[in-house]
Amino acid sequence: MLFLRSLIFQLIFFLNMFILILIWLPGLFMRRQISQELGRTWGRTSLWLLDKICNLKIERRGLEHIQQGSLIVAAKHQSMWETFVLPIHFSDFSYILKHELIWLPFFGWYLLAAQQIAIDRAKGGKLLPQLIDKAKKLFTQNRQLFIFPEGTRRPPGAPPQYKIGIASLYEATSVPVIPVAVNSGLFWPKRSFLIRPGTIVIEFLPVIAPGKPPREFFKELQSAIEEASDRLIDEAIVKDRSEEHTSELQSLAYLVCRLLLEKK
């Protein structure tokens, strides 16, 4: 059943994205917020599909910490899940993405229309100045910048590999940073076809104000995200074991009742 549910979801997930892209085509010629709304709609419908098909739900924590306006959203990256969930919570967002993606038919057109930040990784050492320059322009428009400080998806419990570039970006732009913790990798791991049922928790942590020394900020950010993500992972594991134990007890009780009835 797990394989079948995952297969059905994957097929409908990408079909849903393709249909939305076709419906939203007129939005390519409108203001960027229209194209951004495509991303939010895709996120909401994907969450609904995960719930109904895979029995994978979402729990949101720390919503009171969310700010609009100029903001860096630094999130733990464990799964594809957070890439379509984060936009739901912010009004005028931008991802940092590979320059090659904008050349993809349809999908790349929307990235351009939504004014996402495309960077050329081939520039090597010039990459960070390029990113800082584009981020500054974005913040003059009171937008939110999504960034995964480790640069790629990491398995739950894996040693952190944060890039120091986030500290340089924080120092150069002087905007607040909101750390985000998740436990999504337990349910929809990197490069995994199977999607496990349960509840993914996304937690928005207290905002880190601008103006701190870069090294102090870097340590605070990593500590906040890692400690919260580890806590969410531990909670999910304990809950899973508890539910498994309860299920075993229910099965045992059922067997005892059957035996008693048969004796009668």
Side-chain angles (χ1 to χ4, degrees):
M1 284 301 294
L2 183 63
F3 176 84
L4 182 60
R5 286 175 181 268
S6 299
L7 175 61
I8 293 172
F9 169 77
Q10 297 283 5
L11 291 174
I12 299 178
F13 176 70
F14 288 106
L15 178 62
N16 174 54
M17 180 175 66
F18 180 71
I19 292 172
L20 287 174
I21 284 176
L22 292 180
I23 292 173
W24 240 270
L25 277 175
L28 290 173
F29 307 99
M30 303 179 188
R31 56 195 179 96
R32 66 170 178 269
Q33 286 84 353
I34 302 298
S35 294
Q36 289 175 4
E37 191 56 36
L38 167 64
R40 282 187 281 268
T41 302
W42 181 45
R44 294 187 188 101
T45 53
S46 297
L47 287 177
W48 186 85
L49 291 170
L50 282 170
D51 185 2
K52 300 304 178 185
I53 299 174
C54 300
N55 196 24
L56 181 57
K57 306 181 185 303
I58 179 175
E59 179 184 343
R60 299 173 173 88
R61 299 181 186 176
L63 295 177
E64 67 277 9
H65 299 306
I66 292 179
Q67 299 180 7
Q68 302 302 328
S70 299
L71 182 72
I72 295 174
V73 182
K76 185 70 177 177
H77 197 16
Q78 295 181 349
S79 169
M80 181 179 181
W81 183 88
E82 49 268 14
T83 61
F84 60 75
V85 170
L86 283 175
I88 296 173
H89 301 89
F90 295 90
S91 60
D92 195 359
F93 65 89
S94 177
Y95 270 106
I96 298 172
L97 47 91
K98 294 186 296 184
H99 190 265
E100 293 82 358
L101 291 177
I102 66 175
W103 300 111
L104 294 176
F106 293 101
F107 187 75
W109 303 346
Y110 281 102
L111 295 178
L112 286 172
Q115 296 182 15
Q116 304 296 285
I117 293 182
I119 55 174
D120 185 359
R121 293 183 177 181
K123 291 192 175 181
K126 297 180 180 180
L127 180 60
L128 185 57
Q130 174 194 166
L131 173 58
I132 289 174
D133 181 60
K134 292 187 177 183
K136 285 181 176 179
K137 292 178 182 177
L138 180 139
F139 293 138
T140 61
Q141 300 172 327
N142 292 318
R143 299 177 64 188
Q144 302 85 49
L145 176 63
F146 297 157
I147 186 168
F148 299 120
E150 293 175 280
T152 187
R153 288 172 291 179
R154 300 280 293 158
Q161 293 184 354
Y162 286 64
K163 312 299 183 185
I164 196 64
I166 182 67
S168 300
L169 183 63
Y170 165 81
E171 181 184 29
T173 58
S174 298
V175 300
V177 177
I178 181 168
V180 182
V182 295
N183 62 359
S184 55
L186 289 176
F187 305 94
W188 192 355
K190 180 180 181 180
R191 298 192 184 94
S192 174
F193 175 80
L194 297 178
I195 301 171
R196 294 181 58 241
T199 301
I200 295 179
V201 181
I202 181 169
E203 183 171 355
F204 299 92
L205 305 170
V207 170
I208 302 175
K212 295 189 176 186
R215 289 189 178 275
E216 179 184 330
F217 159 77
F218 186 77
K219 290 180 180 178
E220 182 177 345
L221 177 73
Q222 178 173 311
S223 176
I225 295 177
E226 290 302 305
E227 288 178 8
S229 294
D230 288 345
R231 170 171 47 79
L232 297 181
I233 291 169
D234 290 342
E235 286 180 14
I237 292 173
V238 169
K239 182 179 179 181
D240 185 60
R241 288 175 179 172
S242 176
E243 290 176 350
E244 182 180 349
H245 181 63
T246 300
S247 178
E248 290 175 353
L249 289 176
Q250 289 172 341
S251 299
L252 180 60
Y254 172 75
L255 289 174
V256 170
C257 289
R258 285 292 303 272
L259 289 171
L260 291 174
L261 288 172
E262 287 177 2
K263 286 183 178 181
K264 288 183 178 182

